[in-house]
Every structure is written in structure tokens, then in C-alpha cells.
Amino acid sequence: ARRPGGRGEGDAERVLRDAGYVIEARQVTARYALDVDGGAEEVLVRADFLARRGAARYVADAKGGERASRITDRATRRQLIEYLHAYDVDGALLVDATRGEVTVVRLGSRPARVGPRGWGFVAPFALGVSIGALVAFVVGSAAG
């Protein structure tokens, strides 16, 4: 077994149980397909645990070390996002056995786009305001 943070997955399992999770499976694989240049490319992933708390199911990953056990770590975050895509679950659990912490991760709503698509309303709006101001000026000048 991997040894996250110098501790075995058994410690991570204990942390999950202590936090109220029931372990359903260990070292569980899932497959999903990507469309690559018009063809299907199958991807296999393996997570440390599938766990349940109440009616909610989670895919869990045991991490160790100062960086890898934090959601701010890019590789950890990307791995959890992949798990959320591959497994039919309500969320992902990031388990830090060294600290005894479980972090629940779910995908949030997509942020508004900023850039060419996000600012697409500005040009028509500005044009409308300009035309309105010009019409008001012309009508005001003709009346006065």
C-alpha cells in the first residue's frame, strides 16, 4: 500500500471511520472515455476508497505530505476532479491521515466567463447608448 505522509492507508481508513464514513471498497477502479481527435480513448483510474456517510457516496484519496494533502496542490486538485468525473459519487474526500483530517470536495458552479465571450454584451450596449445620446442631441438641437 502507498504510504501517505509516512503512514499507511490503514491510518486513512481509520480517519474516515472516525469521521463517520463507512468504507464500501478499497483500491477501486473506474473507466471513462475521452474523445481524442474524433476517436474514443478509454482512461482507467484507481482511487483508494469508496465511502458512504448517510445516503451520500464519496470517492476518497489518501494523501500525505504538506503539499499533496491540500486542495491547493494542483496535482491533487486535478486528480480529485478526474475522480469526480469518473465515479458516480456525490463528492470526493481528501484524507490526510497525518493530520487526521477529511476534506469534502464537490464541483461548484462554473464562474462567469471573463474575456471575449464574457464581455460580448459591452459593444452592443455601448453602441446603443451612443445612438441614444446622438438621437437625444439631434432632437434637442432641433427643438431648441
Side-chain angles (χ1 to χ4, degrees):
R2 269 187 325 173
R3 303 190 66 69
R7 297 183 185 224
E9 287 179 4
D11 289 342
E13 190 171 336
R14 178 190 46 76
V15 169
L16 284 168
R17 279 196 318 267
D18 290 349
Y21 294 92
V22 174
I23 305 299
E24 292 186 336
R26 293 161 190 81
Q27 294 299 312
V28 62
T29 59
R31 296 178 189 276
Y32 66 94
L34 293 172
D35 182 322
V36 179
D37 291 334
E41 183 72 33
E42 191 172 89
V43 178
L44 175 70
V45 294
R46 179 184 312 273
D48 294 329
F49 306 103
L50 280 182
R52 177 180 300 280
R53 185 161 74 178
R57 290 185 67 226
Y58 299 91
V59 59
D61 191 47
K63 293 287 188 194
E66 186 60 34
R67 288 187 54 204
S69 63
R70 300 289 184 203
I71 195 64
T72 53
D73 181 69
R74 183 182 316 187
T76 297
R77 189 172 55 249
R78 288 178 177 175
Q79 183 178 22
L80 292 177
I81 290 169
E82 182 177 41
Y83 285 173
L84 287 168
H85 178 74
Y87 294 86
D88 183 20
V89 292
D90 298 299
L93 303 174
L94 179 56
V95 184
D96 183 340
T98 304
R99 289 186 193 84
E101 297 174 353
V102 177
T103 303
V104 179
V105 180
R106 293 184 182 90
L107 292 177
S109 62
R110 293 184 180 201
R113 288 182 173 250
V114 176
R117 290 186 195 169
W119 290 95
F121 72 93
V122 173
F125 179 77
L127 181 61
V129 169
S130 299
I131 290 172
L134 181 60
V135 168
F137 176 76
V138 170
V139 169
S141 294

